[in-house]
């Protein structure tokens, strides 16, 4: 007794699943990046002089290799490093925002990948 297995349909289905997962990760990453940016802008503890440091906080989502995304939160002003690390870190916002949001980001990722 013998049988013939055509794996073309299986491979197409797997490729489709990988593509759908990557699209979902990109959408989720964009959403998370914008939420992080919004939270950082809202909760930045420093007193604005020109408003540039607050306005130019930036959340982005970029592809990370062939499967995955990298979510970044950064300053776009050259003195952002001083806001984060000087004066006893009293003006730190990047690490604080990430620490506060990481549990919900992970829960959201688990929900996304669990479906």
């Amino acid at each position: 007794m013998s049988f013939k297995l055509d794996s073309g349909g299986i491979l197409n289905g797997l490729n489709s699943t990988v593509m759908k997962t990557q699209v979902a990760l990109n959408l989720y990453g964009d959403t998370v990046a914008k939420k992080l940016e919004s939270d950082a802008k809202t909760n930045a503890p420093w007193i604005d002089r020109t408003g540039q440091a607050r306005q130019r906080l930036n959340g982005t989502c970029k592809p990370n290799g062939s499967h995955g995304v990298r979510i970044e939160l950064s300053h776009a002003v050259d003195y952002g490093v001083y806001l984060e690390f000087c004066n006893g870190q009293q003006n730190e916002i990047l690490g604080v925002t990430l620490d506060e949001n990481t549990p919900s980001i992970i829960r959201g990722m688990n929900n996304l990948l669990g479906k």
Side-chain angles (χ1 to χ4, degrees):
M1 177 192 314
S2 67
F3 67 93
K4 185 177 178 181
L5 175 64
D6 180 14
S7 62
I10 295 170
L11 292 176
N12 287 340
L14 289 173
N15 286 334
S16 174
T17 301
V18 169
M19 287 175 45
K20 288 178 183 176
T21 302
Q22 188 62 40
V23 168
L25 283 173
N26 287 335
L27 289 172
Y28 182 70
D30 286 338
T31 302
V32 167
K34 292 307 167 197
K35 181 186 183 322
L36 291 172
E37 179 181 321
S38 175
D39 286 358
K41 286 179 177 180
T42 301
N43 299 322
W46 59 78
I47 297 170
D48 290 327
R49 303 286 192 261
T50 65
Q52 288 296 306
R54 187 179 306 269
Q55 292 169 5
R56 295 178 64 192
L57 285 165
N58 191 22
T60 58
C61 176
K62 301 175 182 176
N64 187 20
S66 60
H67 305 294
V69 294
R70 178 182 176 103
I71 300 168
E72 299 175 353
L73 180 63
S74 62
H75 284 278
V77 293
D78 57 355
Y79 54 89
V81 67
Y82 298 105
L83 290 171
E84 293 296 314
F85 296 111
C86 292
N87 298 321
Q89 295 181 315
Q90 69 183 9
N91 291 321
E92 178 186 17
I93 191 60
L94 302 182
V96 171
T97 302
L98 292 173
D99 289 345
E100 289 175 356
N101 286 282
T102 297
S104 65
I105 293 169
I106 292 173
R107 278 192 306 273
M109 184 64 69
N110 286 335
N111 289 338
L112 177 70
L113 296 177
K115 293 183 180 181

